[in-house]
Amino acid sequence: MKGRCSRLFGIALEAGRRLVRGGPRSFVRDLRNRRQREAAGPDRYQSWLRGRRAREQGADLAGERATIEDNSAPAVCLLMPVFNPPAEYLRAAVGSILAQTYPRWQLSIADDGSRPDVLDELGRLARGDRRITLARSELNTGIAAATNRALAAAREGFVAFLDHDDLLDPDALQAVAEALRAHPGADAVYTDRDSAGEDGRRRDPYFKPDWSPLALLSHNYAVHFLCIRRRLVEELGGLRSEFDGAQDHDLLLRLAERTAEVLHVPTPLYSWRQHPGSNLGTPRPASFDAGRRAILDALRRRGLSGTVELSAPAGPFRTRLAPAWEPLVSVIISSHDARLLSHCAEVLAARTTYPKLEILVATNALGDVGLSQLCRERGFTLVEVENGFFSPMNNQAARRARGDVLLFLNDDTEVVTPDWIEEMLSWLRLPGVAAVGPKLVYPDGRLQFSRVVMGIRSDGVPYFFDPFDHWGVPYLHGFSLDVATEVASVSGGCMVVRREEFLDSGGFVAGEFATSYQDVDWSIRVRAGARAIVYTPHAVVTHWGSFSKKRDERHLEREIRIATAFFTRHQATLSRSDPYWNANLLEPGGLLEPPRFPGLPLFPKGRG
């Protein structure tokens, strides 16, 4: 009856225990060992890089040559501001451009008052290739001003940004050009990145989601490697010196206000050099302050107000939007247990600071004396649905609700953060946002649920899980548990939606998904209309969920049938992969293996 995606993840794990591992102790031990192997990932990442290179070398070379030789292919000008880098790193950075498999590039270097020996090295490098131009300044004016001087010398239709000590993968520009050729209306492209130590060895891959403008209010995930249409950068006024240290973050925030045509190449093609003098090696407080001010300035431009603070010494930021919206919130609690409902209601009343609430209790326990009495005593509206489960119960309660906002809530939950409703409403008020969900934790504080990652791999393997509960942090920096961001779906066990939009969408499917998957089914349908689903870690709710429940084989078989129906119904959408998950991680040959649902079929392309 609970009808929430987090429960299904627990069911999949329990099925795995029964059908694969041979018992919970074995499962926990294997999972712990796998996490340890992945956490010690440098060798694994090196192996993955070698495998990627081999696969690319075996690709259609004729098609690649056609792309290179076609003069209609986009040309890219790399903008490189320079100020006293170590000579060997500067040579390596320029060398990585000269080694590009794609030839249609320009390198516009703007020196910013470097030492004479650096100027001599720059002159030598510029004389080595006619595609390199060099502008010099006797004064150190800062990275934004220097980048703007490089921009003024750019001749190509797109510009990209490269620091004076970083490295490009040999196929970086080729991959960007191919993406732009496939999507000629795109205004920007960004790639994944990793870091390079002083020895040049690549490590610490940073895999990113597709374009996620709300995530930019928490961290600058899209920086390195970034390529933008030159005309658009010029129209935006270039980079702004008052945000030096976070000038690229400021540019991306302004870019997000002008276009949604931003592509993501989900491969690490840029290596951020890690050494004592780099921002990656030594984060600078001034850079964080500039990033904080850049976000505040973006809020001002968008007619919003709030505060921005670092949630940890090295980020990310927490943006608190000021309350400017106080609708009546109709809390719909699904319950058939008066004891659970009473405890849930007591904690909700004691810990919730939001004042404008009405409570509706949706149940299929018709005539339950305990529920009826509790609702009368507390002034709750009781909504009884005969032969109903999660979907029809909540749909009927939604039609009875008076509030502009609905908050679906299971009865086995406890509020943790008193401003949980204010936090979720602050994101729901933003244009384009259809639903917001919190972080759900177990009673012992362990993460239970943050978001759903769902899709079908190219080999037909379906996946559906919460990445942070399953893997922790290795490889997942672009999917930080600690930032508010767009996601594929949140849990129907606790989420806020606009009442009118929920009813207009048809609500939860009451047929095959009456007990499970109705929340992710609804999310897919709403996102198809260009609406966003948002997760915020700053609203926290304890959810008992499957913490202590046992299920028999018949229950598992039913859930597997429903899961099969879900993947069959949405096969076309799920085969395009989750936009907020990086395809490189789970595809065959990727760094991670998805958790398997025992008993689910494959869904190869062309089926269904």
Side-chain angles (χ1 to χ4, degrees), residues 304-342:
L304 302 171
S305 60
T307 62
V308 180
E309 60 194 32
L310 279 173
S311 57
F317 295 101
R318 179 181 178 183
T319 298
R320 299 175 188 258
L321 298 176
W325 186 40
E326 198 174 88
L328 175 64
V329 175
S330 298
V331 183
I332 299 175
I333 305 177
S334 304
S335 183
H336 59 73
D337 187 317
R339 180 184 56 84
L340 281 177
L341 175 62
S342 178

Side-chain angles (χ1 to χ4, degrees), residues 14 86 89 141 225 230 247 289 463 499 520 544 602:
E14 184 161 331
Y89 295 159
T141 57
F225 182 47
R230 176 168 61 92
Q247 70 289 337
D289 180 65
Y463 54 88
R499 177 179 179 274
V520 286
W544 286 82
L602 298 179

Side-chain angles (χ1 to χ4, degrees), residues 101-123:
T101 58
Y102 186 74
R104 298 200 65 206
W105 55 263
Q106 174 195 357
L107 173 58
S108 178
I109 300 174
D111 181 72
D112 200 34
S114 295
R115 300 185 310 267
D117 61 304
V118 175
L119 289 174
D120 291 342
E121 182 66 26
L122 287 173

Side-chain angles (χ1 to χ4, degrees), residues 351-371:
R351 296 182 186 169
T352 299
T353 56
Y354 192 78
K356 298 177 64 175
L357 301 177
E358 71 161 349
I359 310 295
L360 298 92
V361 177
T363 187
N364 57 4
L366 275 65
D368 187 286
V369 175
L371 285 176

